[in-house]
Amino acid sequence: MMNHRRGRYLGSSLCALFMMGACASDTIDGEHTENQPPNVWLAAAPPEGSTGTYTVELFWGGWDPDGEIAKYEYLVTDNVTGVFNPADTIGVGWSGVIGNHSTFTFSADSLAEAATGQKAIFMRSHTFFVRAVDEQGLRSREPAYRSFTSRTISPEVRITTPRAELGITPADMPPISTLTWNATDYVDDDITKQDPDSVQWALVSTVGFGNSYLNAINYLRSPASAPDWYPWAWYRAPQDSGKSWTTPPLEFGDYVFAIRAKDEAGAVTPVLAEPVNVRRLKVASRNSGPTLVVTSSLIGSVVAASCDYPLIIVDVPAGVDLAFSLSACADSYGGTVAGYRYGWDILDLNDPEQWEVDYTPFIGSVANTPARSFNFGTHTFTAEVIDNSGFCTRIEIKVNIVRFTGERNLLVVDDYRADEVPGQSGWAATNGGVPNDAEHDAFWLEMVSNLEGFDPSRDMIATSLDRELPLTTIAGYKNILWSSFSDLDTRDVSALPLLYTYIQYRSKRPPANPAGACSPTGGVQGKVLPNFLGLAMQAGVHVVLSGNHPVQNVVPRFGTFNVRWPMIPALELEPGNPQTGTPDPDDLANLPGNHGFAYRELCVDVIDYALLYGQRPRLTGMGSNRRYCGITGWRTANGSRRDHTMRSGIPADPNFPPLTLRPEAAGTGRLFAPNSQGIDAEVYNPAYFRQTGACQYIVDPRPCFEPIYLLDCLATSERTYQQPIAFWTSTYASVVGDDIPGGIGARSAVFGFPPVYFNPSEMKTAIEYILFDEWQLPRKAASASTASASR
C-alpha cells in the first residue's frame, strides 16, 4: 500500500530562532495541538444502488492531517429490507485491514423470486463502510460507504447413484448403500461454472409419514425438516466425501433421500425435485447383485448381475490357454463391491478350499486370472463377486475340450453368398461382374481336383451366417480353404459371411465406459461361437483365406464406429473415444488388439485398399473411433477406379505364377475389360504407411509376414502399386497337432482378392503349390506324374 504521510511541525521556526539568538532558555518547547482524525474515501466501488456479481474488488484511500494512517477498518451490512437501516449494523463488528484494496465475497442468499427449478436468482443488498485509523488509534469522523446488491445463480445438484427408475418407481437398494451426486455452481450465468461450496443431505423413512413417499418428500421441503438434514459438507472434501455418502445399515423399508447444494455466496438449491435431487428408495432383499463382467479375447465379454445367470458354453481345442479378466460394479444401485473369487471345476461353492482364489478385494479396476489349458474333458470356470450387503453375482463358463484329430486332409468352406435374385449373378447374366454360386463352386472344385481322397460331398461345406460350422467338424481336418464374399460397406450383419462371425474383433478388455460396465445388459449368452478359425490355427491347422475383402471381417459391425483406411488392427479396433494423434498410453504399453485375429494369427499390422474414391481417402464400413495416424497426404489424389484397382497379380514369391483376370470377367466388352475397372483388393502392411513417416506406430512388417503377390494396377504412381495383396503368415508354422496323424508344421496364406476372377490355370498353379509343396498333401497318382513330367 501507499501510506499517505503529511505532517505539520508547529516548532518550524526553530532554526530561525537559533540563528537570531532569540532562544531565551536551555529547552525548546513547541506548541502542542490536539490529534486530528484521518480522512477516508472510496476510490473504486460499484455504483450506488447497483446490482452486480457477488465478488467485488474495492479500493479506498485516506489522509491523516497530522500523522500517518496505521490501518483501515471496514464493516459490511446485510440489508434485510433491501436498503440500509442502522439496525442492520447490530452485532456486526469492524474488521481491520492494512492495505487500501481487497477483494470481497458478498453474500447473495435471498431468493429474488419464486423458483421453478434448481437454478434461480439469489440477491442481497449490502452497505460497505470503511474508515481510517491513525497511529494514535483515532478513527475517521465519518466512514466512506457504498450500498449495492450482489447477485448469483443457485447451484444445482443431481443424484447419480442410485440410478433413477422410470417415473417415480423407487430405486432398489441394499441395506448398506453408497449414494453419489454431481453438483454445479453457476456463478452469474449459464456459461461460467464452478464447484459449489458445500452440500447437505437428508434421509428419512416413510414410516413416520403414513408410509407415504409423497408425505415424506413434502416434509423435507418444509422448514420443519431442519433437524433431519446432515451438517453442510465441503463439496471438494478429501476422498470424495463431499460427493458421496455411505448409509449406516438400514432396516428393510421405504426411504426418501434428498440433497441440496450451497455456493460461496450462500445461495442454496431452492427446489427439491424428483428425480433430480430427490430419490425414492426401497431397501429390501435383492435377487440381483453387482454387475460382473468376465472378459476374454476368446469369447468377448459376459455380463451378469445375479447368481443364477445362465451357463455359458464354449468349445475350445485341447491345449489352448484360457485366461479371463474380471471387473465388477455395484454403483447402479448404491452398493459397493466387497470382493471377487474364481476357480475351476468347483463342486461345492460353499467350500472355500475349492476356489482357486477366495474372496479378495479388487486392487484396481480389473483382476486377471492366470492362463490354464486342458487336454481333454469338460471344465467349468466360475467367477463370483459379492457386495457389502452380501448380495452376489456369479458367471459360469463351461468349456468343452475338442481334440484335433485331422483324419481328413482338406476342408473347403464355401462361404460365398447364394443366388438370392435370379439374373443378378453369373458371368453371362452380369457381363462378367459376379459369378453365381455354381460357377464359384466349380472353380474351387477345379482347384482341388488333383488332391487325393477329396470328396466334395463330405469335404466341401456351403455355409452362411445362420449355419454354424462346429469346431468338432473343423477338428477333423488338417487344412482349410475358406472362400468368402463380404461387402466392405455393409452394416447389415445378416448380409455378411460366416467368416465374420468367427474372426470379428473381440476386445480382451472389460467395457471401458463405467455406465456400460455397470449395466446388467449386453455381452454373450448361451452357446458362444468363438473364433474357430483362429483356434484351429493355434491347434496346428493350416488355412488359406480368400475372397472379396476377407480380412476386413475383423471389423465389428455394431455401435456407431467408423473405420478409416489404412487401419491398424492392433490399435484402432478397440472401442474408445475419438482420438486424433493422441494415443492412449495404455494402448501403446499393451496393444489392445494383440490377441485379435488380424494382428496375431495373420500377422497384419496395416490394412488398406487398392480402390480410391475420387479425391479423398476411403472412409466407410464400421470399426472404431480411435485414431492413431492421419491418412491423408500419401495416397494419389486423382485418377479413377480404373487406374487404381487390381488388374493382375505380381509374384513376390518366385514359386507363384503371375495372375491375370479371366476372359469371362475381363474380355472385350466385359465389366473388367482392359479399359474399364479392375478388382478391389485388400492391401496389407504397405510400405508407404511407414516410409513416409506418417505413422510412428508402424514399423517394418514382422518376420511372420511374407508377401506372395503384389498389386498391379494401371497407375504405377499410385502408392498401393506393388504393395502386398496376398501373403504367407507363419505365426503358427511350427505348431504340429499332437493328435493329427502325419501332421506337419507349415505356413498359412491369405489372398486379399477373390481368386475366382482370375485365370483358373494360373490360380490352380498357385493353390497347388500351397497344397502339395507347403502343406505336403497327397497328389493323385495321374496328376503327380503329370506334374513331375512338367518339371
Side-chain angles (χ1 to χ4, degrees):
M1 64 175 271
M2 292 183 60
N3 289 323
H4 298 272
R5 183 173 182 175
R6 300 283 178 84
R8 178 192 303 168
Y9 297 93
L10 299 180
S12 59
S13 59
L14 180 61
C15 293
L17 293 173
F18 273 122
M19 292 175 65
M20 297 173 61
C23 294
S25 67
D26 294 335
T27 63
I28 301 174
D29 295 323
E31 180 183 354
H32 293 276
T33 63
E34 183 179 357
N35 184 25
Q36 299 296 309
N39 297 315
V40 67
W41 60 83
L42 274 170
E48 179 70 24
S50 65
T51 298
T53 180
Y54 63 85
T55 302
V56 181
E57 186 175 14
L58 300 172
F59 294 81
W60 52 83
W63 173 60
D64 185 16
D66 55 4
E68 291 185 345
I69 294 176
K71 65 177 182 179
Y72 297 93
E73 293 178 334
Y74 67 87
L75 179 149
V76 179
T77 66
D78 294 340
N79 301 332
V80 177
T81 62
V83 294
F84 174 72
N85 187 310
D88 295 327
T89 63
I90 297 176
V92 182
W94 291 84
S95 300
V97 60
I98 300 299
N100 60 354
H101 71 92
S102 188
T103 299
F104 296 86
T105 297
F106 295 94
S107 63
D109 54 3
S110 177
L111 188 63
E113 55 187 24
T116 58
Q118 287 200 34
K119 290 192 298 182
I121 296 175
F122 279 69
M123 306 173 78
R124 172 66 67 185
S125 172
H126 301 280
T127 301
F128 177 83
F129 296 89
V130 63
R131 64 189 181 187
V133 183
D134 68 12
E135 292 179 314
Q136 285 72 45
L138 187 62
R139 293 169 170 81
S140 306
R141 285 193 178 94
E142 292 185 1
Y145 63 89
R146 186 68 53 84
S147 294
F148 52 86
T149 298
S150 55
R151 176 188 182 277
T152 188
I153 298 177
S154 57
E156 65 176 8
V157 57
R158 294 178 177 274
I159 299 170
T160 55
T161 304
R163 293 179 303 177
E165 304 294 338
L166 293 175
I168 57 174
T169 303
D172 291 332
M173 292 182 57
I176 302 175
S177 301
T178 299
L179 298 103
T180 63
W181 49 82
N182 287 324
T184 303
D185 177 24
Y186 298 89
V187 179
D188 196 38
D189 52 43
D190 290 340
I191 299 176
T192 308
K193 303 175 185 179
Q194 63 185 16
D195 286 340
D197 176 77
S198 52
V199 289
Q200 184 184 44
W201 59 84
L203 178 72
V204 297
S205 169
T206 63
V207 171
F209 304 97
N211 293 317
S212 167
Y213 282 113
L214 186 58
N215 290 345
I217 293 172
N218 288 333
Y219 166 73
L220 290 175
R221 289 169 174 163
S222 70
S225 67
D228 286 295
W229 288 85
Y230 281 76
W232 288 99
W234 185 37
Y235 186 71
R236 295 180 295 278
Q239 300 177 337
D240 284 341
S241 59
K243 301 176 183 178
S244 64
W245 176 60
T246 300
T247 69
L250 301 174
E251 297 181 356
F252 289 167
D254 298 334
Y255 297 83
V256 172
F257 175 77
I259 187 167
R260 55 194 179 192
K262 180 171 64 175
D263 69 12
E264 58 187 347
V268 176
T269 307
V271 173
L272 299 180
E274 297 184 86
V276 181
N277 60 337
V278 175
R279 195 62 47 85
R280 303 183 186 208
L281 309 176
K282 180 176 287 294
V283 177
S285 180
R286 297 175 58 84
N287 56 11
S288 62
T291 297
L292 171 62
V293 182
V294 176
T295 303
S296 165
S297 60
L298 184 70
I299 62 174
S301 293
V302 184
V303 184
S306 71
C307 266
D308 56 358
Y309 191 76
L311 186 69
I312 300 295
I313 303 173
V314 60
D315 296 338
V316 174
V320 171
D321 285 340
L322 301 169
F324 301 93
S325 296
L326 279 58
S327 62
C329 175
D331 295 352
S332 60
Y333 61 86
T336 300
V337 177
Y340 68 92
R341 60 180 180 174
Y342 63 84
W344 285 93
D345 299 327
I346 300 171
L347 299 177
D348 183 1
L349 297 174
N350 297 317
D351 182 3
E353 298 297 324
Q354 296 190 31
W355 292 86
E356 186 173 330
V357 172
D358 203 6
Y359 280 124
T360 302
F362 281 93
I363 302 301
S365 59
V366 178
N368 297 307
T369 72
R372 293 281 301 272
S373 63
F374 303 94
N375 290 319
F376 55 85
T378 297
H379 302 269
T380 301
F381 174 78
T382 304
E384 188 176 282
V385 292
I386 193 170
D387 69 11
N388 56 344
S389 294
F391 300 112
C392 76
T393 296
R394 184 183 307 121
I395 289 176
E396 293 181 297
I397 302 174
K398 180 181 178 181
V399 179
N400 298 318
I401 302 301
V402 178
R403 298 194 70 83
F404 275 64
T405 57
E407 300 98 342
R408 307 295 303 168
N409 285 322
L410 181 67
L411 172 65
V412 176
V413 179
D414 174 14
D415 205 8
Y416 187 74
R417 63 184 180 185
D419 302 313
E420 298 178 356
V421 181
Q424 291 191 4
S425 64
W427 296 125
T430 62
N431 197 29
V434 180
N436 58 35
D437 194 49
E439 292 166 338
H440 175 269
D441 294 352
F443 171 84
W444 282 105
L445 288 175
E446 176 60 23
M447 295 300 104
V448 299
S449 61
N450 291 327
L451 177 61
E452 181 66 41
F454 183 82
D455 182 353
S457 65
R458 175 192 56 199
D459 301 330
M460 187 172 188
I461 296 178
T463 187
S464 61
L465 188 68
D466 58 356
R467 178 181 173 186
E468 177 186 354
L469 181 61
L471 185 62
T472 51
T473 299
I474 295 175
Y477 290 88
K478 297 182 183 71
N479 309 280
I480 299 173
L481 294 179
W482 194 305
S483 173
S484 69
F485 182 95
S486 54
D487 186 347
L488 181 67
D489 298 325
T490 186
R491 302 187 180 198
D492 180 6
V493 176
S494 65
L496 294 171
L498 178 63
L499 181 66
Y500 167 78
T501 302
Y502 291 144
I503 72 172
Q504 64 176 288
Y505 182 78
R506 295 169 172 86
S507 177
K508 67 181 181 180
R509 298 176 176 177
N513 185 339
C518 285
S519 176
T521 60
V524 299
Q525 298 177 343
K527 181 69 178 290
V528 179
L529 295 178
N531 184 359
F532 286 162
L533 197 60
L535 291 174
M537 294 175 69
Q538 294 178 43
V541 175
H542 317 125
V543 172
V544 166
L545 182 61
S546 68
N548 192 58
H549 309 131
V551 180
Q552 63 86 30
N553 282 288
V554 300
V555 178
R557 260 53 167 205
F558 56 81
T560 57
F561 312 134
N562 284 321
V563 66
R564 191 184 293 264
W565 311 105
M567 185 266 288
I568 309 171
L571 294 171
E572 294 182 328
L573 290 177
E574 186 72 16
N577 293 327
Q579 298 179 358
T580 304
T582 308
D584 185 339
D586 291 340
D587 284 359
L588 301 182
N590 179 16
L591 297 175
N594 63 357
H595 291 175
F597 183 73
Y599 181 84
R600 182 173 62 182
E601 277 79 6
L602 300 188
C603 200
V604 171
D605 298 311
V606 178
I607 305 174
D608 201 358
Y609 286 87
L611 180 61
L612 184 70
Y613 282 153
Q615 297 184 6
R616 64 181 177 85
R618 184 156 190 164
L619 175 60
T620 186
M622 304 191 68
S624 169
N625 286 342
R626 296 193 179 216
R627 297 287 180 264
Y628 283 83
C629 294
I631 65 169
T632 58
W634 61 80
R635 295 291 298 275
T636 301
N638 51 33
S640 66
R641 185 185 183 109
R642 179 184 70 88
D643 297 323
H644 304 289
T645 46
M646 179 183 177
R647 297 300 309 178
S648 61
I650 303 172
D653 185 324
N655 297 295
F656 289 78
L659 298 180
T660 57
L661 290 168
R662 63 191 297 166
E664 294 91 336
T668 302
R670 295 287 177 166
L671 183 62
F672 299 104
N675 293 324
S676 185
Q677 62 189 5
I679 301 295
D680 187 15
E682 289 184 331
V683 178
Y684 308 108
N685 296 349
Y688 57 79
F689 200 64
R690 59 185 186 278
Q691 290 175 348
T692 59
C695 190
Q696 60 180 307
Y697 314 109
I698 299 301
V699 294
D700 291 337
R702 291 168 284 160
C704 51
F705 178 89
E706 302 170 80
I708 295 176
Y709 280 107
L710 308 178
L711 176 70
D712 184 20
C713 59
L714 296 179
T716 58
S717 62
E718 166 59 41
R719 290 185 175 174
T720 54
Y721 177 66
Q722 292 192 354
Q723 297 303 302
I725 55 175
F727 61 92
W728 293 110
T729 172
S730 58
T731 303
Y732 299 106
S734 61
V735 177
V736 179
D738 295 336
D739 298 328
I740 299 179
I744 65 166
R747 296 172 293 180
S748 293
V750 173
F751 292 85
F753 53 87
V756 68
Y757 281 86
F758 292 86
N759 191 303
S761 63
E762 298 167 354
M763 202 69 236
K764 187 172 184 178
T765 301
I767 295 297
E768 286 193 343
Y769 178 81
I770 296 173
L771 298 179
F772 303 131
D773 292 88
E774 182 70 23
W775 294 352
Q776 300 179 27
L777 295 179
R779 186 191 291 265
K780 288 180 180 179
S783 68
S785 60
T786 302
S788 177
S790 65
R791 293 195 186 97

